[in-house]
Amino acid sequence: MKNIILLSILYLTAITFCYSQVTFTDISVTLGINDAGAGQGVVFLDVNNDGFLDIFLVNNNTPSKLWINTNGISFTESSSIWGTNITYPTRGVSAADYNNDGYIDIIIGAWQNSIILYKNTGTAFLNNTINAGMNFLSYGGAMNWIDYNMDGKIDVLCANNGMPPRYNYLFRNDNLNNFTNVAFTAGLTDSNSTLCLAASDYDNDGDLDVFCGNQTSIGATTTGILYKNNGNGTFTNVTSASGLMTNYYSWGAEWGDYNNDGYMDLFIANLTGMNQLFKNNGDGTFTDVAPQVGVAEQGQSYSCGWADYDNDGDLDLYVARGQNYEDKMYRNDGTTFTDVSISVGMGDLRHSACCSWGDYNNDGFLDLYLVNNGTENRLYKNNAGNSNNWIILKLQGVSTNRSAIGSRVMIKTGNLKQIREVEGGSGGKGQNSLPLEFGLGSATIIDSLLIRWQSGTVQSFTNINVNQILNLIEGQSIFIKNLNTGIPKEFQLEQNYPNPFNTTTVINYNIPNSGKVSLKIYDILGHEVTTVIDTYQSAGSYKIILDVSKFTSGIYFYKLQTEKFTATKKMILIK
């Protein structure tokens, strides 16, 4: 009996020790990103395609900020250089590549002013609002990119709040340049002062459904609305039938599969009343389980975000709350949550307006940027204090919108299955980073990885190594990995190996300067067969695992081209 007790104590001590190692440090002052304006929305995004997440912040009555990340070490405020120095009140923000040109663009919800659509040219942002047909009066709610009709062109849903209640906008992307407001024809007729938007495929039918969190009552029943995507360009209000009912003012909401059952659940951060966690029952209905699992906090919640901060294989939850209300960091313990706010170094008591998760230094552990309205913001650096493994996936759509928003990834390690979706907006008035981050616990190999691109294309991979950042292109069985061995001294394209090969081969190359990189494959007659890479890459050494199993046997040539370097080599495929 004593041995059993001793083992139990040791086991619990080990668990406590493991958890205690994952803490956060506020480094915003050190990095100079502790803006003390009237903060509203924030997004992690890679504006210059250098592989590191930058930060874009919008403020209510003070200038916006664009901080450019240099190698995960420092940030430089660059809004004037990039042309994003907005001075009038702005509130909601999100980012996506709306014209599929390889550069991330930004949409901003102002307050009683025009929506702003910034087009990224690679070196600057141009205000393309009028040209795109989006010069509509905004009332500052959330912005959420969503390819609602699954045509490969990303659309955007814009929330309008304020009194009297105003209608939301759904801008359909017509030709990668012009947009048309189709909210009413699509069935999105909500006019109840929408504060937050959250899109996800809650019914697993392949298209994105939408939750609108509002602050005015619809009759005497509910403030929030759940819209089911009918798959034909229209939506149906299924709030009552689904049981996803809330009578509170909902300022933040985000979908996430907290119990790893393959269905997306919804957390709602409410300004009034208790917060809610709607468990997806898998049959089109939901049950509020917040009190049972320990996340039913009451009092002034403004934003929220799911993230596996300790990389143990389940989603944890951050909730940003109003002044003098302690922000909450909830650790997911499998079936319930534990408030670890203070023990991990969080528990902010300022007026928190928005939060966003992203791995700014590419160490595999997620960091959190917290926006505080009227007081200094925080960047909580994850101290990566345990040995849990991870993987980060950067998806690039081809038939799907290039940002791959709406696509879903499922990974399996042993008996554990996890799903993530690429989000076009999250938590309230901001957006988490586009790359998908999975914590893997002690797993040393990913048994299988399945991507369901929003176009309907499904790809699967097996036996994938952990602790790496992978670039995955729709329809191409290619892994692109930055080896992170430092900046090479010269350009180099290495001979593929093995060569000759059967279906799969490896290509390594070095680029000492950041810039546009193209790698194409040609047949023996000089005809282009496929484009492997056509994007901006940061300086570094890269490894490509190339699967050409659909090619016929023969001699091929692969050509690497940058602004300063061109090289071609021959490879032989034998089946």
Side-chain angles (χ1 to χ4, degrees):
M1 184 65 181
K2 291 182 179 179
N3 289 337
I4 294 175
I5 294 173
L6 179 59
L7 287 173
S8 299
I9 293 172
L10 290 174
Y11 175 72
L12 292 173
T13 302
I15 291 177
T16 303
F17 177 76
C18 177
Y19 283 137
S20 68
Q21 301 311 294
V22 183
T23 59
F24 293 83
T25 302
D26 177 16
I27 58 171
S28 56
V29 174
T30 302
L31 295 179
I33 55 178
N34 57 320
D35 185 69
Q40 292 291 306
V42 67
V43 54
F44 274 110
L45 74 173
D46 185 1
V47 301
N48 54 5
N49 288 349
D50 67 349
F52 288 92
L53 293 173
D54 312 300
I55 299 173
F56 184 69
L57 168 73
V58 294
N59 290 315
N60 194 27
N61 291 305
T62 52
S64 59
K65 303 290 184 182
L66 173 61
W67 288 295
I68 300 298
N69 183 347
T70 301
N71 299 324
I73 299 172
S74 63
F75 286 86
T76 303
E77 209 292 303
S78 307
S79 55
S80 295
I81 296 172
W82 279 79
T84 60
N85 47 336
I86 311 162
T87 56
Y88 57 82
T90 47
R91 294 192 173 180
V93 61
S94 61
D97 182 1
Y98 79 83
N99 54 0
N100 290 349
D101 67 350
Y103 297 107
I104 196 76
D105 311 297
I106 299 173
I107 190 166
I108 301 165
W111 176 247
Q112 297 183 344
N113 213 312
S114 173
I115 290 169
I116 303 171
L117 178 66
Y118 277 130
K119 176 183 176 181
N120 189 344
T121 66
T123 56
F125 284 97
L126 302 178
N127 189 331
N128 203 40
T129 310
I130 295 176
N131 291 336
M134 299 178 74
N135 190 26
F136 282 56
L137 191 63
S138 170
Y139 287 87
M143 298 282 146
N144 202 301
W145 295 95
I146 168 177
D147 186 4
Y148 80 99
N149 55 2
M150 298 175 65
D151 65 353
K153 299 185 291 289
I154 194 71
D155 317 294
V156 65
L157 184 58
C158 305
N160 284 313
N161 67 282
M163 299 299 291
R166 295 172 173 86
Y167 292 102
N168 299 323
Y169 305 130
L170 173 61
F171 290 104
R172 183 187 65 212
N173 191 334
D174 295 324
N175 55 14
L176 300 180
N177 186 54
N178 302 105
F179 292 80
T180 302
N181 180 26
V182 296
F184 264 68
T185 57
L188 298 176
T189 56
D190 180 15
S191 63
N192 293 276
S193 193
T194 300
L195 292 161
C196 65
L197 300 165
S200 178
D201 181 14
Y202 80 84
D203 51 3
N204 290 356
D205 65 353
D207 50 37
L208 288 176
D209 313 292
V210 176
F211 172 78
C212 297
N214 301 316
Q215 70 172 5
T216 54
S217 298
I218 304 166
T221 54
T222 182
T223 52
I225 298 179
L226 178 63
Y227 286 107
K228 173 180 166 53
N229 192 327
N230 299 319
N232 60 2
T234 66
F235 294 84
T236 298
N237 184 341
V238 295
T239 311
S240 180
S242 71
L244 205 159
M245 309 285 284
T246 174
N247 296 311
Y248 308 125
Y249 286 11
S250 303
W251 281 71
E254 187 171 8
W255 297 91
D257 182 13
Y258 82 93
N259 55 357
N260 288 333
D261 67 351
Y263 289 92
M264 300 297 279
D265 314 293
L266 181 68
F267 181 83
I268 302 177
N270 291 313
L271 180 69
T272 58
M274 293 192 300
N275 295 331
Q276 296 167 287
L277 174 56
F278 284 98
K279 178 183 177 293
N280 191 330
N281 298 320
D283 58 1
T285 67
F286 295 83
T287 303
D288 182 7
V289 297
Q292 295 95 302
V293 302
V295 294
E297 202 71 32
Q298 184 163 353
Q300 293 197 12
S301 294
Y302 285 89
S303 181
C304 56
W306 293 107
D308 185 1
Y309 81 88
D310 51 4
N311 285 346
D312 67 347
D314 50 33
L315 287 173
D316 311 296
L317 177 66
Y318 190 88
V319 182
R321 306 172 72 208
Q323 189 170 3
N324 298 323
Y325 286 88
E326 181 184 274
D327 284 6
K328 296 297 181 181
M329 180 72 246
Y330 295 107
R331 186 187 68 222
N332 189 336
D333 296 326
T335 56
T336 60
F337 291 81
T338 300
D339 179 2
V340 295
S341 311
I342 303 301
S343 62
V344 300
M346 291 179 158
D348 188 271
L349 286 170
R350 305 171 189 181
H351 184 176
S352 301
C354 187
C355 59
S356 177
W357 289 99
D359 182 9
Y360 85 91
N361 56 358
N362 290 344
D363 68 350
F365 283 77
L366 284 164
D367 313 291
L368 182 82
Y369 192 84
L370 177 65
V371 179
N372 286 314
N373 188 347
T375 54
E376 288 188 339
N377 301 331
R378 298 181 186 270
L379 175 61
Y380 285 114
K381 179 182 181 294
N382 192 323
N383 296 320
N386 67 28
S387 59
N388 287 341
N389 296 316
W390 53 271
I391 193 165
I392 295 177
L393 306 175
K394 295 183 177 181
L395 273 58
Q396 179 182 318
V398 178
S399 297
T400 297
N401 64 87
R402 187 172 176 117
S403 296
I405 289 169
S407 298
R408 176 182 288 190
V409 174
M410 187 275 285
I411 66 169
K412 182 177 182 295
T413 52
N415 295 322
L416 177 63
K417 293 182 180 179
Q418 301 180 63
I419 61 172
R420 301 280 191 277
E421 289 178 348
V422 184
E423 301 173 307
S426 54
K429 296 186 290 291
Q431 183 181 10
N432 297 325
S433 63
L434 288 174
L436 298 179
E437 302 94 352
F438 288 86
L440 305 174
S442 60
T444 56
I445 200 79
I446 297 173
D447 300 319
S448 64
L449 184 156
L450 186 143
I451 308 174
R452 189 195 68 189
W453 300 90
Q454 208 194 15
S455 65
T457 298
V458 176
Q459 288 180 271
S460 60
F461 307 89
T462 57
N463 298 322
I464 301 167
N465 292 329
V466 301
N467 298 339
Q468 61 173 320
I469 300 173
L470 288 180
N471 295 269
L472 300 172
I473 303 173
E474 182 178 9
Q476 297 186 20
S477 299
I478 299 166
F479 289 140
I480 305 171
K481 179 181 179 182
N482 188 333
L483 299 178
N484 294 317
T485 55
I487 299 176
K489 295 181 179 180
E490 58 184 18
F491 288 99
Q492 184 179 17
L493 176 63
E494 297 182 9
Q495 184 65 51
N496 67 299
Y497 66 90
N499 189 40
F501 65 96
N502 181 356
T503 70
T504 302
T505 191
V506 175
I507 299 174
N508 289 330
Y509 62 91
N510 299 331
I511 51 172
N513 306 111
S514 301
K516 194 70 175 290
V517 177
S518 169
L519 181 65
K520 298 184 178 182
I521 298 178
Y522 300 86
D523 63 20
I524 196 170
L525 297 177
H527 300 140
E528 181 180 330
V529 177
T530 189
T531 297
V532 180
I533 301 172
D534 185 19
T535 189
Y536 185 104
Q537 288 186 323
S538 58
S541 299
Y542 290 84
K543 174 182 179 180
I544 294 179
I545 303 174
L546 180 65
D547 185 342
V548 290
S549 55
K550 295 181 180 179
F551 290 12
T552 59
S553 298
I555 298 174
Y556 294 88
F557 296 89
Y558 57 98
K559 180 180 180 181
L560 180 71
Q561 187 168 7
T562 72
E563 296 176 358
K564 300 179 179 181
F565 176 78
T566 300
T568 303
K569 291 188 179 293
K570 181 173 69 174
M571 61 183 182
I572 303 172
L573 171 61
I574 299 177
K575 292 186 176 180

